Structure formats: C-alpha cells, structure tokens
C-alpha cells in the first residue's frame, strides 16, 4: 500500500497536480489515482489466474478482469474530471472562504462518524442473535434517522423496509442463499 501511495504521489508530481501550497493533492484526484493503480494491479493479477481445465479456459478470468478494468476506467474518469474542474472550483472555494469565513470541516461530522461506527458495531453484535431482517431494519432505520433526521421519517422507514425485504427476497428466493 505504501508503494501505491508513493507511486500515486510521484505521478501527481510529474503532471504537476498539486494545490498552490505545493503539499496537498485534491481528495478526488487522490482517490481516482489510487483507483487506477489498484484497478491495474487487480487486472494484472486477474490475468495471472490459472486457466480452467474444463470448458472455456478464460472463464475464471472474465469477472475479476472486468472489475479491474472498470475500476481503472472509473478512477481515470474521476482524475480527469477533477483536473478539468480544478481551477473554477479553487476560485469558487477561495471566494467563498473569503466571503463567509466558514470552517472547512462540518461540526456535525465527528458526531456522525462516531455514531456510524457505533451503529456498525451494534449491527455486527445483534446480527447473529436477531437475524438478517430485524437487525438490518434496525440498522438501516437508525442510520437513515441519524443522517436525515426526523423530518424525513416516512422516507426513512420506507427505504429501510423496502431495502431489507428486497435484499432478503433476492438472496432467499432468487439466489437460493439462506440468510441468518
């Protein structure tokens, strides 16, 4: 992973994509560059998979190679989009910061992050005891109420119920995979 970060940093230095301070890359560009590097590495490893002895020898390679190629393409698209929008976004950000003196980080973020981690831990703890349907309904409902608040209560409940039962039906009935 450290080599991927170093390679990403070197590639960004080569094309000259740094903020005016010269020390910090844009978040979207960094994620896109890492996606490209991981996608290429994943594709290379997919090509190294052993060939099937029966049927199409390339069959075990298709899906992993497709994931690697799609990840590479989407990462490159994110990088290109970020490079294209870099200057107008920087100008708008500078004007907004000067005009309003807003803090860069939302004050609600630490609370949301800690609550999300707590809900994920709680979900993992109750999953085997209460089963997929009950624990997923509770988890999704809590997450949606955490993010959307009480004002969107009907949408929160509907999304929780539809997603939970839609997922359960897909796995249990269509794929014939039993969920706890």
């Amino acid at each position: 992973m450290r080599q991927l970060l170093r390679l990403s940093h070197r590639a960004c230095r080569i094309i000259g994509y740094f903020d005016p301070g010269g020390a910090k890359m844009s978040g979207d560009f960094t994620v896109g560059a890492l996606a490209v590097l991981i996608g290429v590495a994943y594709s290379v490893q997919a090509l190294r998979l052993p060939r099937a002895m029966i049927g199409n020898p390339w069959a075990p390679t298709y899906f992993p190679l497709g994931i690697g190629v799609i990840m590479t393409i989407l990462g490159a698209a994110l990088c290109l989009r970020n490079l294209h929008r870099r200057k107008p976004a920087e100008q708008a950000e500078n004007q907004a910061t000067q005009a309003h003196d807003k803090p860069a980080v939302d004050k609600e973020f630490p609370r949301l992050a800690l609550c999300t981690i707590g809900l994920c831990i709680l979900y993992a703890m109750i999953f085997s005891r209460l089963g997929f349907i009950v624990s997923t309904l509770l988890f999704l409902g809590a997450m949606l109420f955490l993010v959307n608040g009480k004002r969107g209560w009907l949408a929160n409940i509907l999304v929780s119920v539809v997603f939970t039962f839609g997922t359960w039906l897909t796995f249990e009935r269509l794929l014939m995979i039993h969920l706890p």
Side-chain angles (χ1 to χ4, degrees), residues 39 42-52 54-71:
Y42 197 84
S43 297
V44 168
Q45 291 301 318
L47 290 171
R48 297 179 69 196
L49 286 171
R51 304 293 174 249
I54 300 171
N56 183 355
W58 286 91
T61 308
Y62 291 147
F63 187 72
L65 184 61
I67 289 175
V69 168
I70 289 171
M71 187 173 194

Side-chain angles (χ1 to χ4, degrees):
M1 188 63 170
R2 189 174 290 177
Q3 288 175 336
L4 285 175
L5 288 173
R6 206 174 308 136
L7 184 60
S8 170
H9 191 64
R10 188 177 306 149
C12 292
R13 199 175 318 134
I14 289 169
I15 64 171
Y17 184 76
F18 284 94
D19 286 346
K24 188 173 155 188
M25 290 184 289
S26 166
D28 282 350
F29 187 83
T30 304
V31 169
L34 285 174
V36 167
L37 292 173
I38 292 170
V40 167
Y42 197 84
S43 297
V44 168
Q45 291 301 318
L47 290 171
R48 297 179 69 196
L49 286 171
R51 304 293 174 249
M53 297 299 212
I54 300 171
N56 183 355
W58 286 91
T61 308
Y62 291 147
F63 187 72
L65 184 61
I67 289 175
V69 168
I70 289 171
M71 187 173 194
T72 303
I73 290 169
L74 292 176
L78 184 61
C79 288
L80 291 174
R81 186 186 83 174
N82 191 263
L83 285 174
H84 178 67
R85 294 183 180 181
R86 177 179 171 208
K87 293 194 178 178
E90 286 176 358
Q91 292 170 356
E93 184 178 316
N94 289 339
Q95 290 172 355
T97 304
Q98 291 171 357
H100 301 291
D101 273 339
K102 294 190 323 185
V105 177
D106 186 15
K107 291 181 181 180
E108 289 290 312
F109 178 75
R111 183 184 72 84
L112 286 173
L114 289 175
C115 288
T116 300
I117 292 169
L119 285 172
C120 288
I121 291 169
L122 183 64
Y123 179 65
M125 289 171 41
I126 67 171
F127 187 81
S128 61
R129 289 190 180 118
L130 299 179
F132 174 80
I133 293 176
V134 175
S135 59
T136 304
L137 273 173
L138 292 173
F139 173 73
L140 282 178
M143 284 298 297
L144 288 170
F145 274 103
L146 176 68
V147 173
N148 298 332
K150 294 178 184 176
R151 68 178 182 273
W153 65 272
L154 184 60
N156 293 343
I157 292 170
L158 285 174
V159 168
S160 297
V161 169
V162 169
F163 180 82
T164 300
F165 284 103
T167 304
W168 181 81
L169 284 171
T170 300
F171 277 91
E172 288 282 339
R173 302 293 181 218
L174 294 177
L175 300 175
M176 302 292 184
I177 298 173
H178 179 68
L179 295 174

